[in-house]
Amino acid sequence: MFQTIVNAFKIKEVRRKILITIALLFVYRLGCYIPVPGVSAFTGLEEYSLLQIMNAVSGSALSLGTFFAMGIGPYINASIIIQLLSVGIPALERLSKQGEEGKRKISNYTRLLTIVLAIAQSLGILFTFGGSNAIEFNQLFGNEGFAKVLSYAFLVLVYTSGACLTMWIGERITDYGVSNGISLLIFAGILSSAGTAIAGVIKGIFVEATSLTSIWTLVGFILVAIVIFGAIVTVDTAERKIPVQYAKQVKGRKMYGGQSTHIPIKVNASGVMPLIFAFSILSFPDLIIQLLGYATEETWWGRNVGTESWVYIVLLCLLILFFSDVYNQIQFNPDDISKSIQGNGGFIPGTRPGKPTADYLKRVANRITLFGAIFLALLALIPTVVFKAVGGEGLASVFTATGLLIIVSVALEFEQALQSQIMMKNYKGFLK
């Protein structure tokens, strides 16, 4: 990857895109430290597992209560909702198949839904922490009656504007920079949170001189992180290649076809989405209970389906398996692929064209998806438990399964985007 970056800087156009990407990421990280009037900090996020994920993705901007506290979360949620609705609503499904014009309309719907979700999310967080000393309403319009309503309205406007600006920065990176801008914003936020946590451990070792145990804790954490990162890279890049043979066809005075290719089916094609959905659904009841003013551990849900219970682990694994299968059906359509192969005069060796080919593709995809889902389920459980054992609660809260998978996936995606840019420029120069 480092060699790819060095080669990219040698090409003027690619170097310009990299610098634009870095500049926009710097603006985003700068906004994560701009304070909001009347807000000191949002403390107590450790009681909400869903808010912990949001805080890690935003680079601790949520816990600081800064301008970009909402981060890119509302846009991600809006994108997921629109993507799922595109499967169930025929009008959206037709739009998704209408090329650039359809994509533009879907993007506009996603932006509008992002604003709605940002308003709802900011209101939820303000109501959650409004009774604590995290929000200093007296510095704004007052803490009673209509003045308090004005304070809430002002903060909702500020945080919604921050979410919209974050969305705009991500789209500009996609248009003028390298790779997907939204993914890079998440990547930068998680790395920032991870860097802060690791810096705290290093400070405790060398500055505060806590104990030799902390040194071995850091060493053990690094070794475990390397092993887990290696496993994620191996599975994330693994794929099953199904061979396809195209027969020779004579059209006019020319002969076409007669070549071999393959259909790549990734082991972890759904990426991090099953994890996000599973964690969000299991965290939602806790969030509702705490918003109503009850302590989670005092309720039936907290006692029987808490994060430390076996019921939670079983439900988490089942939800990951379920959403992995759902995403496999959304992204991979064996019937369409079978028709496309047959229409172009191709066939899979040993399999008859038509429905047998579709059944074969479906069977292979289901097996690979099952393996990928089992890997995600293990990934959701092992890192948190291991990092708690070797790194303490601070590192475990940052290096979650979702965070690790996002870091690896975005890094691989960024490298592939750079290689594509380099190849395109070199190919263009060869034609000249």
Side-chain angles (χ1 to χ4, degrees), residues 154-299:
F154 170 77
L155 293 177
V156 168
L157 178 62
V158 170
Y159 286 131
T160 303
S161 302
C164 293
L165 183 56
T166 303
M167 175 182 63
W168 182 86
I169 292 174
E171 291 180 345
R172 297 291 76 75
I173 293 176
T174 303
D175 294 338
Y176 303 107
V178 180
S179 190
N180 184 280
I182 305 303
S183 300
L184 288 178
L185 292 183
I186 300 173
F187 181 80
I190 294 177
L191 280 189
S192 175
S193 301
T196 302
I198 294 176
V201 175
I202 295 176
K203 179 181 178 182
I205 295 174
F206 297 103
V207 178
E208 300 175 0
T210 51
S211 64
L212 289 176
T213 306
S214 299
I215 298 178
W216 291 112
T217 295
L218 183 61
V219 172
F221 166 79
I222 293 174
L223 293 177
V224 171
I226 291 174
V227 173
I228 294 179
F229 272 123
I232 294 175
V233 171
T234 301
V235 176
D236 202 57
T237 55
E239 61 184 18
R240 167 75 180 274
K241 296 180 179 180
I242 299 179
V244 178
Q245 180 71 37
Y246 287 94
K248 293 182 180 180
Q249 301 179 18
V250 178
K251 295 182 179 180
R253 301 177 62 181
K254 294 184 178 180
M255 181 177 293
Y256 298 90
Q259 60 182 358
S260 298
T261 182
H262 65 270
I263 302 173
I265 303 179
K266 292 181 66 66
V267 174
N268 186 28
S270 56
V272 73
M273 289 306 172
L275 283 174
I276 293 178
F277 272 113
F279 280 119
S280 299
I281 289 178
L282 289 180
S283 301
F284 188 72
D286 286 342
L287 188 61
I288 296 299
I289 291 171
Q290 291 168 351
L291 288 177
L292 294 176
Y294 298 98
T296 306
E297 60 274 5
E298 297 177 359
T299 61

